[in-house]
Each structure stands twice: as structure tokens, then as C-alpha cells.
């Protein structure tokens, strides 16, 4: 086992252990992937101010996200097909998040169901991410199931009314059901650890959908259903309806524009996430770290502003916090850990990010995450 010191180490190991079809699904963006790359590279342009002779004792990264206590301002982002990176992946990720003291967000398009994750974490509260489908009855039932599973927040994704095109998925034959190429089949044969894990679980389909929609009982019927279900007609009236139906904490994901941020405030949501879907939807969109400051300036006093996309270190978390994000989300960094080492890998990813966050905060002259602001950043680099 190599010595794991960074998220990049986990990524390299995950690439060796996860079948190419599923690794590429996670580690890709739409079209030219320019926005996907910018989400990460734009963090590197922001420089930190090093401070010295400051008392670095008694440091704390603890804070709150939407009123919930968190060990650091980080949540695990909702990611589809997580259970194909590693058997029972969503359950393992939720367990690691519970142990660490941060929120776990389950995707509508998860392999493990809402009920699976609730049972696997002894009904510890987690967050549920909702895609809006044309079948409103199904959406109502999903919301009710999330309530019954003790979910403490609903994350409503607004930027997937239609699917962006990800070239790697097309080349790998990733669909429901999969249409693998000869190269994909040969690659699967080189991943025995992954294969044994999958043989040991019954969870191979979209657990929140199969068996919960009339006529969708297998991957074939699922493909036909999902192709027709993402709702291009989604609008702010639907947000109001969902907020009323849910009745709890509501977070709106996919805000990149100040005008939309103001509409999010008007919707009565508790928080918004500055996000371009990890560069998987509109290629050519601004990176989320560059979009963050103007949204914080416009609405940060009226709604809690979070962000996701491109976080590969605790330094990235600190920079986002300095620019006004009350919380951040990790998707790929979590998936690399999961694909590399299962639950242990997720815990490792969280430990890496926390240690980098803690040390960097101290080097910048702060001992409490609550006091971090733009003062830790070098002027002219953000």
C-alpha cells in the first residue's frame, strides 16, 4: 500500500482499482472539459498571506452549515452512481461522514436507496439531493421517503433540466443498461477487487427509482423512463411547490449568476450552492470559485452561500471560506477515496482535507475558522 498524503494519491489509486467506465464517469466534464479544469486550476491562482509569531494553539475548524454543527465547513456532495465506484458506496460514504462529523448528501441517482443509507447509518441524519422529474407523484413520494429516513435537508438541483454531453461516457458505452465496448469488457476483467465487491452486494441499480415507479422494475425499463423524465420545464414555481411539500431546510444547487442568486433569495431557500455541476453541464461557464465573490457580495447577507467544484485540498476549502462561502462540498475528492479504499479511503480523504485546512489556517494567522476572511488572501490574486 503506498503512503497516502494527498487527494491526488487517492485519485491515482482509484484509477487503478475502478473500472474505466465508472472512473471516467466521475472524473470528467462536458465537451472540451474547460470548465471542469478551471474549477480546479482557478484555485491555484489565489495566493495566501503567510503570517508569523501568532499563537497557533487551540485551533478549531468547527462551524455550522444551515444551522447544523459540522467539524469543518465541508459536506459530501451528491454524486450519481456512487455505488459503482465501490460496492455499497453511498452507505460507506455516509458512515465515514457520520464518524467525521460532516453532512453526507445522497443523490437521487444513487445506487443505494434512501432507505439503505438510513439503515446503514442507524438513521443518522443525512441530506438528500432531489432532481425534478416530470412524474410529480414520484417526486412527492421521494420527498416523503426522505422525511421518513430522517433527512435533515433537501438539496434541490436546478442545473440539470437537460443533460450535458460527456464524451467519455459515450465512448465507454455508459448508459442504463450499460452498452460496454470490447475495451470496456477487457478493462472490467482487470479489476478483480472491484468485481468481488460487486458480487457481494445486491445493489446494482438505481435504488431510489427501481421498484418505486410503476413499470420500472429493471435497468431496461429504467433507461426508457429516465430518458423522458428530466423536466426541461422546471421553473421557480416548482421550487416554491417543493419547498412547501418538504417543509424543512432547503438548499438550491446550481447557482452561477447574480440574477439567479437573487431569485434564490426570493424563493425562501435556506442556502444556495454556487455550482456549475462540476463542469459537467455548460462547458465554457465560469469556474465556481470565480463566480463566488460576486454572488456573496450580492446576496450573502440574505442567504447562506455555499460552493462546490474543484476542491482537492483543505487549502481550497480555506480559500472558498475566505471569499465568503459558509460551506463547501467535495464530490470527486470523496469518490477518489471511495474508489481507492472504500470507507477507509473516504475517511482518509476527509482527514487529508481537514489537516490541510487546519495547518493552512494557522500559517495564515488564524486559530478559528469563524474569523477567516479575505484578509488571508494576497490582494490582486482573487
Amino acid at each position: 500500500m503506498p503512503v497516502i498524503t494527498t487527494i491526488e494519491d487517492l485519485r491515482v489509486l482509484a484509477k487503478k482499482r475502478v473500472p474505466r467506465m465508472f472512473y471516467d464517469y466521475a472524473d470528467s466534464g462536458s465537451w472540451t472539459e474547460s470548465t471542469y479544469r478551471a474549477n480546479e486550476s482557478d484555485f491555484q491562482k489565489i495566493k495566501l498571506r503567510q503570517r508569523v509569531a501568532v499563537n497557533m494553539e487551540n485551533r478549531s475548524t468547527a462551524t455550522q452549515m444551515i444551522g447544523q454543527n459540522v467539524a469543518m465547513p465541508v459536506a459530501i456532495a451528491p454524486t450519481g452512481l456512487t455505488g459503482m465506484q465501490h460496492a455499497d458506496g453511498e452507505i460507506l460514504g455516509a458512515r465515514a461522514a457520520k464518524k467525521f462529523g460532516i453532512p453526507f448528501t445522497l443523490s437521487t441517482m444513487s445506487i443505494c436507496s434512501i432507505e439503505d443509507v438510513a439503515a446503514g447509518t442507524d438513521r443518522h441524519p443525512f441530506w438528500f439531493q432531489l432532481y425534478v422529474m416530470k412524474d410529480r407523484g414520484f417526486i412527492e413520494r421521494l420527498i416523503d421517503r426522505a422525511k421518513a429516513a430522517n433527512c435533515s435537508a433537501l438539496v434541490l438541483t436546478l442545473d440539470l433540466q437537460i443533460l450535458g454531453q460527456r464524451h467519455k461516457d459515450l465512448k465507454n458505452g455508459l448508459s442504463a443498461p450499460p452498452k460496454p465496448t470490447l475495451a470496456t469488457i477487457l478493462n472490467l476483467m482487470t479489476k478483480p477487487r472491484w468485481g468481488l465487491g460487486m458480487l457481494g452486494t445486491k445493489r446494482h441499480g438505481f435504488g431510489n427509482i427501481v421498484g418505486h415507479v410503476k413499470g420500472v422494475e429493471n435497468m431496461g425499463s429504467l433507461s426508457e423512463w429516465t430518458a423522458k423524465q428530466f423536466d426541461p420545464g422546471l421553473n421557480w414555481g416548482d421550487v416554491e411547490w417543493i419547498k412547501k411539500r418538504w417543509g424543512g431546510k432547503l438548499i438550491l444547487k446550481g447557482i452561477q449568476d447574480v440574477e439567479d442568486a437573487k431569485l434564490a433569495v426570493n424563493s425562501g431557500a435556506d442556502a444556495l450552492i454556487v455550482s456549475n455541476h462540476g463542469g459537467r453541464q455548460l462547458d465554457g461557464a465560469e469556474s465556481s470559485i470565480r463566480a463566488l465573490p460576486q454572488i456573496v457580495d450580492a446576496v450573502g447577507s440574505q442567504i447562506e452561500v455555499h460552493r462546490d467544484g474543484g476542491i482537492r485540498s483543505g487549502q481550497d476549502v480555506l480559500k472558498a471560506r475566505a471569499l465568503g462561502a459558509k460551506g463547501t462540498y467535495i464530490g470527486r475528492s470523496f469518490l477518489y477515496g471511495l474508489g481507492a479504499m472504500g470507507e477507509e479511503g473516504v475517511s482518509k480523504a476527509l482527514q487529508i482535507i481537514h489537516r490541510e485546512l487546519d495547518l493552512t489556517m494557522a500559517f495564515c494567522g488564524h486559530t478559528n475558522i469563524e474569523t477567516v476572511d479575505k484578509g488571508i488572501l494576497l490582494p490582486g490574486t482573487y
Side-chain angles (χ1 to χ4, degrees):
M1 174 67 68
V3 176
I4 304 292
T5 60
T6 64
I7 296 298
E8 174 63 11
D9 290 341
L10 291 171
R11 185 196 68 78
V12 171
L13 190 54
K15 190 172 185 179
K16 291 178 181 176
R17 292 183 170 177
V18 178
R20 183 188 302 122
M21 173 185 286
F22 300 116
Y23 174 84
D24 281 355
Y25 172 79
D27 197 27
S28 64
S30 63
W31 292 343
T32 69
E33 299 191 335
S34 66
T35 298
Y36 164 50
R37 291 191 299 272
N39 275 347
E40 189 173 348
S41 63
D42 281 355
F43 269 112
Q44 309 314 311
K45 300 170 186 175
I46 303 171
K47 302 304 177 185
L48 300 161
R49 293 176 61 208
Q50 178 177 314
R51 303 300 304 277
V52 296
V54 176
N55 187 339
M56 295 181 179
E57 297 174 308
N58 302 316
R59 298 187 303 277
S60 174
T61 60
T63 184
Q64 290 191 334
M65 292 173 67
I66 59 167
Q68 299 181 19
N69 293 330
V70 293
M72 59 179 173
V74 175
I76 290 181
T79 54
L81 276 74
T82 295
M84 300 310 287
Q85 302 293 320
H86 189 287
D88 297 335
E90 291 90 356
I91 295 172
L92 302 184
R95 284 176 178 167
K98 175 186 175 181
K99 288 175 187 173
F100 205 88
I102 66 167
F104 174 84
T105 316
L106 181 70
S107 171
T108 290
M109 305 307 290
S110 59
I111 301 301
C112 301
S113 69
I114 299 170
E115 293 80 10
D116 288 335
V117 173
T121 56
D122 297 321
R123 292 185 55 79
H124 181 74
F126 61 96
W127 297 355
F128 181 67
Q129 175 270 335
L130 182 69
Y131 283 126
V132 179
M133 309 290 193
K134 292 179 181 177
D135 185 343
R136 293 300 198 257
F138 171 68
I139 295 300
E140 290 180 346
R141 292 192 299 276
L142 258 186
I143 292 172
D144 292 344
R145 288 167 60 196
K147 287 181 185 178
N150 202 31
C151 290
S152 55
L154 189 71
V155 179
L156 176 59
T157 295
L158 298 176
D159 62 353
L160 205 136
Q161 294 163 269
I162 55 176
L163 277 170
Q165 182 169 307
R166 302 146 199 173
H167 297 332
K168 289 177 184 174
D169 290 348
L170 294 174
K171 291 175 179 176
N172 288 328
L174 185 66
S175 59
K179 299 169 185 173
T181 63
L182 177 59
T184 300
I185 294 170
L186 292 174
N187 180 257
L188 280 168
M189 294 169 66
T190 68
K191 312 296 180 183
R193 177 195 294 257
W194 179 90
L196 285 172
M198 287 299 169
L199 285 174
T201 182
K202 61 185 179 182
R203 303 176 181 97
H204 301 126
F206 289 112
N208 290 323
I209 300 173
V210 175
H212 295 280
V213 176
K214 187 176 180 180
V216 177
E217 304 298 336
N218 54 52
M219 290 297 278
S221 53
L222 171 67
S223 178
E224 184 179 348
W225 184 81
T226 54
K228 300 174 182 176
Q229 280 299 317
F230 285 108
D231 191 355
L234 172 66
N235 60 70
W236 290 99
D238 294 319
V239 175
E240 183 181 351
W241 166 71
I242 289 167
K243 176 178 168 55
K244 184 179 293 186
R245 178 78 188 196
W246 168 244
K249 296 282 187 179
L250 178 66
I251 303 171
L252 301 182
K253 182 173 182 285
I255 304 296
Q256 281 278 114
D257 186 271
V258 168
E259 287 186 40
D260 286 335
K262 291 176 180 177
L263 291 169
V265 171
N266 294 339
S267 76
D270 298 280
L272 63 83
I273 306 174
V274 179
S275 171
N276 52 41
H277 216 99
R280 294 165 66 77
Q281 286 294 90
L282 175 60
D283 188 39
E286 190 173 39
S287 71
S288 53
I289 193 61
R290 285 182 61 87
L292 174 65
Q294 58 190 346
I295 291 176
V296 169
D297 289 345
V299 302
S301 63
Q302 303 167 270
I303 191 172
E304 197 165 305
V305 177
H306 301 171
R307 70 155 305 283
D308 80 349
I311 289 178
R312 302 291 183 271
S313 71
Q315 288 201 341
D316 295 340
V317 173
L318 191 70
K319 290 172 182 178
R321 181 77 182 196
L323 290 173
K326 297 298 184 184
T328 63
Y329 296 73
I330 56 169
R332 293 183 178 96
S333 290
F334 142 68
L335 292 177
Y336 298 150
L338 179 68
M341 300 159 56
E343 183 178 343
E344 181 187 356
V346 179
S347 294
K348 188 67 175 178
L350 297 178
Q351 291 162 9
I352 288 169
I353 286 173
H354 181 262
R355 181 165 177 77
E356 291 169 341
L357 171 63
D358 175 56
L359 292 180
T360 305
M361 180 177 70
F363 288 137
C364 290
H366 288 258
T367 58
N368 193 309
I369 196 72
E370 299 289 1
T371 67
V372 170
D373 59 18
K374 288 181 183 178
I376 72 164
L377 307 178
L378 192 66
T381 67
Y382 62 91

